Amino acid sequence: MDIKIIKVHGSNNDFYLIDEMDTKLSLTDEERSQLAINMCKRTGTEGADGILFVLNSEASDARMRVFNADGSEASMCGNGLRCVGRYVQEKLKKNNLLIETMKATLQVKKEPDMYKDIPTYRVEISPVIKATSALPMNTEMDEIINQKLPFIDENLTFTTLSVPNPHLISLVDKEVIHSDKQEKIATMLNGENDWFTDGVNVSFVSRLEEGSIFVRTFERGVGFTDACGTAMSASSLVTKWIDELADEAVLHVYNPGGMVLCQVHDLPDETWIDLIGNATYEYETVIQLNLDTLHVSFGERKVYKEEADAYSAFQQHAKAFVESKIG
């Protein structure tokens, strides 16, 4: 079976995008999971953090399903949503969209380029749930905001949050960012443990200057990624709470893959985050899928070189700024 795919990325969080709006694949969820494992394995020439399936929706412009590289399905993906938003926006010729995800229908809007020749999209990140039961987390605490958790680390403080993916966030200094502490904590909490039975995304956040933070994330089901959209959104909200920023604060959020903007809407009656960043096409190709074995063969690529070059320049600009602040 031949399937057209587009390799896309948001902040270098990369995916294979498969359009099922015109022709739906006859795959079970178990087969989609195995396809993600087979297709996303890093080989040096191919591989990705996951697959974005774009389907029709009865109530919205489209529906997004996200399968991680380990075969697990994510309830949401902010970087992936920007890429899906771009694809659907160009397909339907609409600048304002509603995209259905596992737990919420979210707004997507085309934005002016945030850097020269960088296609930019604003996506809604919600719902925001403070309750530890939403992660889920085995604890007697109803919510955890900037608290020490000695069973994880004796010195750091943590905040837990669902947006709706589960996140554990710690604001740290640059010495901790450069240590192996995050990897040890994240590996422990995404293996067999007593607290996060479904795993958790672990982010360390370092303040760079007023209005700018650096976020590095160990993503559940993936490992360390260049960026995680829901993690950057959640980290912005946590920074807003701890540093007592304005209710509609806008933060420049740097990550190993580049930079995004996060506008925090922390209002008396409602809280959500707008994630604003790139939706870049790397290449398109046709894969041959063996429906019996789910083995994939990749065809010749049509490369989007100008987009790749533009994003590379943007990434170097962001990297230089981060290095000037925290090394």
Side-chain angles (χ1 to χ4, degrees):
M1 180 181 186
D2 289 347
I3 303 173
K4 179 182 175 181
I5 67 166
I6 303 178
K7 182 71 178 297
V8 300
H9 78 81
S11 294
N12 269 351
N13 188 193
D14 61 344
F15 310 92
Y16 296 117
L17 186 150
I18 298 178
D19 180 359
E20 295 188 69
M21 296 180 72
D22 299 322
T23 305
K24 191 174 187 300
L25 299 179
S26 56
L27 297 175
T28 66
D29 285 357
E30 290 76 15
E31 289 171 331
R32 290 176 189 270
S33 174
Q34 189 60 51
L35 177 61
I37 293 170
N38 294 349
M39 195 169 170
C40 296
K41 184 178 180 180
R42 302 282 183 183
T43 64
T45 56
E46 298 295 348
D49 290 329
I51 299 178
L52 306 171
F53 294 100
V54 186
L55 304 100
N56 289 312
S57 169
E58 294 183 1
S60 306
D61 294 295
R63 181 162 69 103
M64 177 182 79
R65 296 187 71 183
V66 185
F67 281 79
N68 294 320
D70 71 344
S72 61
E73 184 172 9
S75 56
M76 232 296 280
C77 174
N79 292 326
L81 181 59
R82 296 202 308 276
C83 297
V84 169
R86 174 183 174 180
Y87 182 81
V88 176
Q89 181 262 324
E90 292 177 349
K91 184 181 181 78
L92 301 183
K93 303 296 191 290
K94 294 176 65 174
N95 285 342
N96 296 288
L97 302 166
L98 288 175
I99 304 294
E100 179 185 348
T101 67
M102 183 186 291
K103 295 186 178 180
T105 297
L106 303 173
Q107 297 184 58
V108 180
K109 180 182 179 183
K110 191 177 189 308
E111 291 280 307
D113 292 357
M114 63 187 297
Y115 193 81
K116 180 175 171 55
D117 298 326
I118 302 290
T120 301
Y121 287 78
R122 175 190 293 260
V123 299
E124 173 190 355
I125 305 296
S126 68
V128 173
I129 306 172
K130 296 181 183 179
T132 55
S133 59
L135 280 85
M137 180 181 179
N138 290 330
T139 177
E140 295 181 355
M141 294 178 282
D142 292 332
E143 60 183 51
I144 299 169
I145 298 178
N146 200 31
Q147 293 179 229
K148 285 189 175 182
L149 301 175
F151 58 88
I152 297 177
D153 186 271
E154 291 287 344
N155 300 311
L156 300 180
T157 58
F158 296 93
T159 300
T160 59
L161 196 62
S162 167
V163 290
N165 292 336
H167 291 278
L168 177 75
I169 296 163
S170 183
L171 272 63
V172 303
D173 57 32
K174 65 180 182 180
E175 286 73 24
V176 175
I177 279 283
H178 291 302
S179 73
D180 63 354
K181 184 168 285 193
Q182 182 179 8
E183 182 174 13
K184 289 181 177 179
I185 290 171
T187 300
M188 175 184 71
L189 297 179
N190 284 282
E192 186 173 341
N193 69 94
D194 295 331
W195 306 284
F196 298 94
T197 55
D198 293 339
V200 66
N201 300 291
V202 179
S203 293
F204 277 16
V205 181
S206 182
R207 302 172 181 88
L208 301 177
E209 63 180 25
E210 186 175 352
S212 296
I213 58 176
F214 173 78
V215 177
R216 185 177 65 186
T217 301
F218 186 104
E219 192 171 350
R220 180 184 63 166
V222 181
F224 278 114
T225 61
D226 278 345
C228 172
T230 58
M232 293 185 293
S233 301
S235 296
S236 297
L237 180 57
V238 171
T239 301
K240 184 268 177 189
W241 288 339
I242 294 175
D243 290 353
E244 300 181 344
L245 304 179
D247 289 348
E248 301 256 17
V250 177
L251 291 172
H252 290 70
V253 183
Y254 291 82
N255 52 68
M259 187 271 286
V260 300
L261 299 174
C262 286
Q263 182 170 16
V264 176
H265 305 274
D266 190 25
L267 307 177
D269 298 327
E270 189 176 8
T271 297
W272 79 98
I273 306 101
D274 283 341
L275 174 67
I276 306 160
N278 76 297
T280 298
Y281 289 177
E282 295 185 41
Y283 63 83
E284 62 181 61
T285 188
V286 174
I287 61 170
Q288 289 185 327
L289 173 63
N290 184 314
L291 292 175
D292 293 325
T293 65
L294 298 177
H295 176 74
V296 174
S297 298
F298 289 83
E300 292 186 6
R301 302 179 179 186
K302 174 190 172 183
V303 177
Y304 291 84
K305 186 177 184 305
E306 291 184 0
E307 289 200 29
D309 290 345
Y311 194 80
S312 179
F314 171 65
Q315 186 179 14
Q316 291 304 311
H317 172 78
K319 182 180 179 180
F321 176 76
V322 172
E323 288 182 346
S324 73
K325 297 298 180 180
I326 60 173

